[in-house]
Amino acid sequence: MKYHAVKGTRDFYPRDMAIRNWIVDAWRRVSLRNGFEEYDGPIFEYLDLFRAKSGEGIVSELFHFTDRGERELAIRPEMTPTLARMIAAQAASLPRPIKWFSVPRLCRAERPQRGRLREFFQWNADIVGTDDVLADAECIFVVLDFFREVGLTPQQATLKINSRSLLAALLAARGFAPDRHAEIYTVLDKRDKLPPEVYAEKLESVVRTPAERSDLECMIQAHGAGGLDEVAELARGNEAAEAEIERLRELFKLLAAMGVADYCTFDMSIVRGLAYYTGVVFEGFGQGALRRAICGGGRYDQLLTVVGGPPMSGLGFGTSDVVMLDLLNEFGLLPAEAGVSKHVDFQVIDAAGDQSHVVLRIVAELRRAGHCAEFSYRRGNLGKQLKQAAGQGAKWAVIVGDEYRQRQALAVKNLGTGEQVERSMDSFLADPVGQPAATP
Ligand code: HAM
């Protein structure tokens, strides 16, 4: 019987692994230069952690199981509940603001499709312990700093920003009781993901009268440069909504000060699917064929208390290797070297056919000095070995041949320029990448 990878999962052959590492390295580099510290947690948690905290959407996509101790467990579908649980456990001793990032392997039992798999790697960066709008700006900047790092322009990827508290204040003023908001958000989040007739049906099930539905539809139309002004008109006299509009205006000014305003637009239709968001929410979209969100995040005010911690506000975002690589490939932004899985510095060649012990001594010393040194099990046939060295992308070939037999000298060939020099064994091993101090 032949086995293959389960649908929605991937095998990472060395080239795929190099590409995965390339993107994870970029996420780490950007996180660290923005002052974030790395953390991780277990790959499975109590099912209950996600049941109450993530909301219906994610819970229906959980891989869960019962262990031998009858505990109900789930493989993590997202990182935020784990982050909240970890921070809640040590809240008193952690200096604030807490700026942490992680690149967990996540599993969601969703239907595999373009940009969505059942197992993926998701970069998360969160700022917890403050509700300052400066943190909103800094967190959003981090994801845009990554866009710039990989060469994505505002024409290729944009970020749509809204606020759940703004939406909540407007809904409440229109007679939608707060206990109805969560189900309304869940449906609104599906607006662009479902066929229009299915969406309409779902909306009807939570917002019953046509008047309410058209009111809601009209409200979430506001977007773009004039969108905030339009909403300000709707919000006139509504203190909570006005305060949130001011906060959003300040956020856009801060993003402009950081030089990333071109990526950002206001969009009232962004509500996000997860249950815990309470403040600013945002989603990124590529301007290519992929229609799904490429990143998403927002502010959560109650998540820490829900997992037994003190009241602490936080915000963060997630984005995955699947969507990012799809987008980068589409725009030709994935450099060829991203897929290089082996970086050979020196290929040490036994050209004489009987010098294995010398070759292995050189290889061992080079490796001890931190260089990647390779050799072939094939002895002799210089031409074939040089070809193999070039094929592996080796920078230098170190040839143990006639010169070594005659005068203990090595021929060191720069495979980039073709230049070849003769070096004594001692001088070469003392400084392999340097120029020969003296020819032997
Ligand atoms: P999310 O919207 O569920 O948010 O996921 C964030 C991003 O993860 C998506 O925009 C997409 O790029 C990627 N993603 C989600 N599901 C899949 C999948 N099945 N396959 C590939 N990529 C996927 C969260 O997960 C929040 N916990 C993010 C967050 C962090 N909020 C605050 N802090």
Side-chain angles (χ1 to χ4, degrees):
M1 170 154 177
K2 259 194 180 173
Y3 292 98
H4 46 77
V6 175
K7 199 171 166 206
T9 68
R10 290 166 292 172
D11 292 325
F12 290 89
Y13 286 89
R15 181 174 183 276
D16 312 310
M17 194 64 210
I19 292 173
R20 183 174 119 197
N21 283 336
W22 177 86
I23 196 146
V24 172
D25 285 350
W27 287 340
R28 283 216 164 88
R29 197 160 59 243
V30 170
S31 303
L32 293 171
R33 78 178 176 218
N34 279 273
F36 284 69
E37 298 170 277
E38 188 162 5
Y39 72 99
D40 200 356
I43 196 150
F44 50 86
E45 295 268 10
Y46 288 105
L47 173 61
D48 192 44
L49 181 72
F50 303 113
R51 245 194 213 137
K53 290 67 193 172
S54 302
E56 179 214 313
I58 273 199
V59 169
S60 63
E61 294 170 349
L62 278 174
F63 283 103
H64 56 92
F65 57 99
T66 307
D67 75 359
R68 287 189 217 174
E70 296 296 308
R71 283 170 285 258
E72 284 196 285
L73 306 175
I75 300 176
R76 59 188 179 189
E78 61 154 339
M79 198 61 186
T80 319
T82 300
L83 168 79
R85 181 181 64 66
M86 286 170 65
I87 291 181
Q90 296 192 0
S93 60
L94 293 170
R96 300 178 195 185
I98 297 154
K99 290 170 52 179
W100 285 4
F101 81 96
S102 193
V103 184
R105 181 192 285 260
L106 304 180
C107 290
R108 294 187 189 178
E110 58 179 297
R111 189 174 60 79
Q113 54 192 293
R114 189 164 181 190
R116 292 291 182 275
L117 294 178
R118 294 182 142 194
E119 186 195 41
F120 56 100
F121 294 84
Q122 190 194 56
W123 176 37
N124 283 249
D126 286 77
I127 305 177
V128 181
T130 171
D131 63 1
D132 199 315
V133 66
L134 289 176
D136 297 6
E138 183 170 32
C139 186
I140 290 175
F141 175 80
V142 175
V143 72
L144 298 174
D145 194 23
F146 168 73
F147 282 11
R148 288 203 301 211
E149 174 77 8
V150 291
L152 281 170
T153 65
Q155 287 70 45
Q156 294 166 328
T158 53
L159 202 72
K160 296 181 180 174
I161 303 174
N162 188 21
S163 157
R164 267 205 190 172
S165 19
L166 172 59
L167 202 54
L170 292 173
L171 287 174
R174 276 163 174 70
F176 293 93
D179 61 357
R180 290 176 65 196
H181 293 187
E183 56 180 17
I184 294 176
Y185 297 154
T186 306
V187 175
L188 288 184
D189 180 60
K190 303 215 163 70
R191 193 162 169 261
D192 293 328
K193 297 172 192 152
L194 293 173
E197 57 293 353
V198 182
Y199 167 72
E201 215 172 275
K202 288 208 180 282
L203 190 63
E204 266 182 58
S205 69
V206 293
V207 183
R208 294 201 208 293
T209 72
E212 276 186 334
R213 282 198 297 278
S214 73
D215 203 14
L216 192 64
E217 276 297 330
C218 170
M219 196 165 36
I220 61 172
Q221 293 296 328
H223 68 277
L228 259 185
D229 295 332
E230 282 169 37
V231 180
E233 279 300 313
L234 292 176
R236 202 174 286 256
N238 180 335
E239 246 177 65
E242 284 182 336
E244 199 53 29
I245 290 173
E246 267 327 291
R247 188 181 166 107
L248 280 174
R249 289 197 200 281
E250 177 62 10
L251 174 60
F252 280 103
K253 280 189 202 146
L254 293 168
L255 292 167
M258 296 176 99
V260 290
D262 287 354
Y263 287 99
C264 306
T265 51
F266 169 71
D267 195 315
M268 197 70 185
S269 70
I270 298 299
V271 288
R272 305 275 297 133
L274 292 160
Y276 46 70
Y277 294 119
T278 48
V280 67
V281 279
F282 49 91
E283 261 176 6
F285 294 90
Q287 301 307 308
L290 182 65
R291 294 277 118 222
R292 299 294 298 264
I294 54 169
C295 66
R299 177 168 287 285
Y300 38 87
D301 285 329
Q302 275 109 40
L303 187 58
L304 270 284
T305 42
V306 172
V307 295
M312 278 167 102
S313 186
L315 91 155
F317 67 82
T319 181
S320 78
D321 61 330
V322 182
V323 283
M324 275 302 159
L325 290 171
D326 189 299
L327 196 65
L328 294 176
N329 270 318
E330 186 169 354
F331 289 124
L333 291 171
L334 193 68
E337 63 267 23
V340 177
S341 50
K342 193 164 178 173
H343 296 89
V344 180
D345 298 314
F346 295 96
Q347 180 82 19
V348 187
I349 296 174
D350 177 1
D354 57 0
Q355 298 294 326
S356 297
H357 55 293
V358 181
V359 166
L360 288 194
R361 181 190 155 202
I362 297 170
V363 164
E365 298 235 11
L366 286 169
R367 288 178 179 176
R368 211 170 111 181
H371 302 287
C372 173
E374 270 284 43
F375 67 101
S376 173
Y377 299 152
R378 187 199 301 266
R379 300 161 182 85
N381 201 335
L382 179 61
K384 273 203 177 140
Q385 290 207 51
L386 277 173
K387 216 166 158 196
Q388 185 184 356
Q392 298 217 60
K395 294 186 195 120
W396 288 280
V398 181
I399 303 158
V400 183
D402 290 341
E403 306 85 341
Y404 191 80
R405 278 230 190 89
Q406 288 153 14
R407 24 178 211 286
Q408 305 274 290
L410 303 170
V412 181
K413 185 174 178 131
N414 180 325
L415 293 173
T417 62
E419 189 191 353
Q420 184 167 318
V421 291
E422 214 174 278
R423 300 188 63 184
S424 73
M425 176 79 99
D426 288 348
S427 123
F428 173 71
L429 289 178
D431 184 13
V433 294
Q435 288 304 307
T439 37

